Amino acid sequence: MPSLPTLLLAIAGLIFLAVGWRIRRADIASASWLPVSATILSSDIAPQEGGFAPSVSYRYAIAGETYVSTDIALAIVSSSSDASARTAAARYSVGTPVIAYVNPRNPRQAILEPRSHALLPVALLAAGLLLLAMSIYRLLAGLSTSP
């Protein structure tokens, strides 16, 4: 029977893999969302836990309905420095026309940067694989030492 720490490593690894895979799939799917014209309504930075993030709102219309969104990408883009967040927010000046990418299954969901290539899903997948490898190693090491 595997020890509790070995089981916890395996469970944590599976959770990291599942979350990383889900985020990565959504990131890839956003590349096929519908491009529509949008207008930036506000652009600033906002404090986030551990740093700052650009805070942008924009208006877009699809199928005769007008929507407002605040999502830049599917993954939250934050930085420990306010200068970095200001640089990101500066790409979206108020009144500027931009292209928003709208989820065809849910037109209320739109982003400005599809396929953000954020490191989060890659980091989660790598951490999940590492935790699973550690749990398998612990399991095999425990089997070879048992009578």
Side-chain angles (χ1 to χ4, degrees):
M1 175 86 181
S3 68
L4 182 60
T6 302
L7 285 174
L8 291 176
L9 278 174
I11 291 168
L14 290 172
I15 290 171
F16 277 46
L17 281 172
V19 171
W21 181 252
R22 184 171 183 212
I23 292 171
R24 183 71 183 128
R25 282 188 46 176
D27 194 39
I28 291 169
S30 71
S32 65
W33 287 6
L34 304 171
V36 300
S37 295
T39 303
I40 301 297
L41 301 175
S42 67
S43 180
D44 202 354
I45 65 167
Q48 295 283 326
E49 191 171 324
F52 299 89
S55 175
V56 175
S57 68
Y58 52 95
R59 180 180 49 240
Y60 61 96
I62 187 165
E65 294 288 325
T66 300
Y67 301 94
V68 173
S69 180
T70 58
D71 294 330
I72 295 174
L74 290 175
I76 296 173
V77 180
S78 66
S79 170
S80 59
S81 111
D82 69 334
S84 194
R86 284 189 195 287
T87 300
R91 292 193 310 254
Y92 303 108
S93 300
V94 174
T96 303
V98 294
I99 300 295
Y101 297 86
V102 179
N103 183 344
R105 294 183 180 169
N106 178 8
R108 293 186 185 284
Q109 184 181 24
I111 55 177
L112 297 175
E113 299 175 7
R115 293 205 60 177
S116 63
H117 303 291
L119 291 178
L120 177 63
V122 174
L124 287 171
L125 290 168
L129 288 173
L130 179 64
L131 290 171
L132 275 178
M134 290 171 56
S135 66
I136 290 169
Y137 174 79
R138 288 178 57 101
L139 180 62
L140 293 176
L143 290 177
S144 66
T145 60
S146 50

